Amino acid sequence: METRLRATLPDQELLKLYEQMVLSREFEESCAEQYTKGHITGFLHLYSGQEAVAVGATAGLHKDDYILSAYREHAQAIVRGADPRRVMAELFGKATGVCKGKGGSMHLFDPALNFMGGYAIVGGQFPIAVGLAFAAKYRQEDRIAACFFGDGAVNQGTFHESLNWARLWELPVLFICENNFYGIGTEVHRSSALASIHKRTCGYDIPSEKVDGMDVVAVYKAIKYAAEKVRETSHPYFIEAVTYRFRGHSMADPAKYRSVAEHEVWKSRDPIPALAKRLVAEEITTDEHLAGIRNKCLALVQEAVKFAEESPWPEDSEVYNDIYV
Amino acid sequence: MSEMTYRDALNLALKEELRRDPSVVLWGEDVALYEGSFKVTRGLLAEFGEERIKDTPISENTIVGVAVGAAMGGLRPVAELMTVNFALLAMDQIINHMAKIRSMFGGQTFLPMVVRMPGGGGSQLAAQHSQSLESYFMHCPGLHIAYPATPADAKGLLKSAIRDNNPVIFLEHELLYNSKGEVPDDPEFLVPFGRANIIRSGTDVTIVAYARMSILALQAAGELEKEGVSCEVIDLRTLSPLDSETFIASARKTGRAVVVEECWGTAGLGGDIAHRIHEACFDNLLAPVRRVSGLDVPMPYSRKIEKICIPRAETIADAVREVVGRKY
Ligand SMILES: Cc1ncc(C[n+]2csc(CCOP(=O)(O)OP(=O)(O)O)c2C)c(N)n1
Ligand SMILES: [Mg+2]
């Protein structure tokens, strides 16, 4: 049963969740267009369909909490507060990008926002999240480390090493698995002996929960609860958010391994119209107002593209900078 | 000055830095209660406690990765890998993360961390426990690499490594742990990175070496002196930054050079150093630069044949005799 929205968050907060999801979606769809035009090159993994996870989860965390993710992380960075213009500039490879054009789509980073990076080695971020949590605990800082990853990452050694380690050292890590059912073209049941991912934490004595990753409010509630548990107990916690990506793995993938029917079922559960419907049904807002939000997001994204287009390329001399202190 | 072993000099460096800076923390397999498989961490748990001196699971990649995260979070972790051989399980965190994070994130963070690892061959530990992997690390930009030859350098380089704001691979030679030497007592004694040490001056030939190879090069130089050959021996101290200036100036002066490396010769760091000398000193050279390298074989166990796989003072001396034109 869906809970009533009003029972969970104030109206303004609910509208903010909506706006963040729309901004994420429009940003990604614009990226696809810019990729087709050749402005964005290299690997480009889009997040369309999964917005409820990044948006709901970020809302359930504190600003001081660390966030780490994989390479499908534009939305996580933007929702955390990264300037869409500088994120787009990074994707264009421009000097004004969040990482000066050295990271690109897969390696966004902003320490001022405690956004501690997008990592493109599957499972590479697990131990780093554990280390950040250790540092926070050692320095007696009031923060936890939230580590996002995909269903494909749970068969990496670092997943098992890091879950064990986080529990053993009693570290405040919130593991957030975005189960979109596929690691590139391999479905979970073809890669994991136990396809019910959240159950895999029992070997490490880490509590876990599964949540509907297409329902932003459900994700928010689950993450808020889990984050508070982690904060109180300084023990890790694990959330599996079940979701779906509407596009292929990357821009290079036509996603022929999925049936049209499957795609249609998930499309009908698109988290953005789903929230819109509830917002209107509960009379929190009107269709007109929501359309206004969408227009505002479209304008922000257009501005981001313009900024990226007009930004300068990095100087050649930049290649030797930032390697050593 | 106090006389002490390479092991104790390392131990003292750790203690002094742990005392000096509460953000220094240390972990690895068997480093706390067991006090380290080579006893380099003896007494640390007792003095600094469970919060700072931590045993870990046998999870090398994560030992390094947790240090990466902790360094990003404001600490100065010193991680120990039981031996360099096991660093191969941590290569993802070392090469893809530790070495890249600062640059790929546009210089927005830095990693003040050290990964210590004993290594080298010569103890009949067979193929999987006798490797010299320094060239693997040296190939990758983004890392600092130290490999001390003497107890004094062991102390001074490790202290510099811990204070360095760059990620450091700190190699220790297993056969040097018991070697003794004079070590400065001053807790501010530091050996800077990127400055090679001319450990013996000479005029006829330059021997470039590092770690245990420097000790063997000194022995060879002693023998060669009796034959009237004057060797200048350069101990690199750090492989990154590499002090090319010092060995190039020396080779230009002597006109001859021998480069010694414990690692396999094929694509080994000695080739790079020899090339730098050839390129910079071509007009001054009286003979081609020679290399003395570990044999290109997986290390055999039997001490009879293990011996010939690792450079020795005799093989270094033979190479010098060749470049000075005295073949025996
Ligand atoms: C160590 C490693 N192996 C393989 C790859 C290639 N690769 C990139 S993404 C991916 C699938 C990961 O799937 P999942 O974790 O479910 O994340 P999703 O793409 O669904 O967000 C693979 C195999 C990689 N980047 N790193
Ligand atoms: Mg997936």
Side-chain angles (χ1 to χ4, degrees), chain A:
Chain A
M1 240 331 267
E2 281 179 358
T3 36
R4 278 178 55 83
L5 296 179
R6 278 226 165 89
T8 57
L9 278 168
D11 291 2
Q12 282 315 309
E13 294 298 312
L14 291 164
L15 288 169
K16 197 168 128 200
L17 297 184
Y18 181 79
E19 180 170 335
Q20 288 179 333
M21 287 202 292
V22 174
L23 178 60
S24 302
R25 174 72 55 88
E26 297 305 340
F27 188 90
E28 295 297 65
E29 295 307 310
S30 167
C31 286
E33 190 189 328
Q34 296 306 319
Y35 180 89
T36 313
K37 288 182 177 168
H39 293 157
I40 299 174
T41 49
F43 286 149
L44 180 64
H45 310 89
L46 299 179
Y47 198 65
S48 301
Q50 301 183 206
E51 292 86 353
V53 185
V55 171
T58 306
L61 297 168
H62 293 178
K63 286 231 177 314
D64 283 340
D65 294 339
Y66 290 125
I67 292 179
L68 295 89
S69 188
Y71 44 82
R72 197 184 296 287
E73 88 293 24
H74 307 163
Q76 277 140 359
I78 289 172
V79 170
R80 211 353 126 87
D83 180 349
R85 296 179 312 163
R86 295 196 55 213
V87 175
M88 190 61 86
E90 185 64 31
L91 273 48
F92 274 53
K94 297 298 184 74
T96 53
V98 288
C99 297
K100 306 183 191 170
K102 293 181 183 179
S105 163
M106 303 186 283
H107 303 300
L108 303 175
F109 189 82
D110 191 338
L113 300 169
N114 296 309
F115 186 79
M116 305 312 279
Y119 297 83
I121 302 296
V122 171
Q125 70 272 39
F126 290 119
I128 300 176
V130 173
L132 281 160
F134 175 80
K137 185 172 179 179
Y138 184 87
R139 290 156 56 109
Q140 300 181 342
E141 296 168 342
D142 179 25
R143 56 167 132 213
I144 71 170
C147 181
F148 289 91
F149 53 94
D151 48 279
V154 305
N155 297 311
Q156 278 290 20
T158 49
F159 173 81
H160 299 274
E161 293 183 5
S162 297
L163 261 67
N164 177 58
W165 191 307
R167 180 65 184 84
L168 184 72
W169 285 18
E170 301 187 340
L171 298 177
V173 187
L174 176 52
F175 295 98
I176 306 170
C177 178
E178 299 195 58
N179 181 2
N180 61 12
F181 296 98
Y182 294 89
I184 307 187
T186 303
E187 215 175 335
V188 171
H189 69 83
R190 286 159 55 85
S191 62
S192 284
L194 176 63
S196 190
I197 290 170
H198 68 285
K199 289 188 185 157
R200 298 179 70 165
T201 67
C202 70
Y204 307 107
D205 192 25
I206 294 176
S208 66
E209 249 170 84
K210 183 161 142 176
V211 60
D212 179 0
M214 302 306 264
D215 178 347
V216 68
V217 173
V219 174
Y220 161 74
K221 281 172 61 183
I223 295 291
K224 190 170 166 57
Y225 174 82
E228 288 323 309
K229 275 274 169 236
V230 172
R231 223 178 291 282
E232 270 166 39
T233 59
S234 187
H235 279 195
Y237 205 100
F238 189 105
I239 298 285
E240 174 189 351
V242 182
T243 182
Y244 201 75
R245 59 169 156 73
F246 290 164
R247 289 180 166 274
H249 169 72
S250 70
M251 287 303 285
D253 169 28
K256 295 221 167 103
Y257 43 84
R258 313 191 293 197
S259 72
V260 175
E262 175 186 297
H263 196 165
E264 288 308 313
V265 169
W266 284 95
K267 270 296 240 189
S268 74
R269 303 200 53 225
D270 188 329
I272 296 174
L275 180 63
K277 211 170 124 200
R278 291 165 72 188
L279 287 166
V280 174
E282 289 190 34
E283 295 179 357
I284 292 166
T285 189
T286 61
D287 284 324
E288 294 70 45
H289 184 65
L290 294 180
I293 289 177
R294 178 157 185 268
N295 287 335
K296 181 179 152 196
C297 293
L298 278 171
L300 280 173
V301 171
Q302 273 165 14
E303 207 188 309
V305 170
K306 184 162 180 286
F307 176 82
E309 275 172 349
E310 291 171 358
S311 286
W313 291 103
E315 297 293 332
D316 288 355
S317 59
E318 259 300 317
V319 292
Y320 288 112
N321 293 342
D322 302 325
I323 299 171
Y324 295 99
V325 176

Side-chain angles (χ1 to χ4, degrees), chain B residues 32-80:
Chain B
L33 203 56
Y34 187 71
E35 302 191 308
S37 35
F38 293 92
K39 302 299 167 203
V40 173
T41 53
R42 185 177 277 151
L44 298 189
L45 177 62
E47 181 173 347
F48 302 102
E50 298 269 4
E51 294 278 289
R52 299 179 72 190
I53 310 298
K54 304 184 78 69
D55 285 322
T56 70
I58 305 165
S59 305
E60 284 77 12
N61 206 23
T62 294
I63 289 173
V64 175
V66 173
V68 169
M72 228 193 267
L75 302 183
R76 288 188 178 270
V78 179
E80 175 177 310

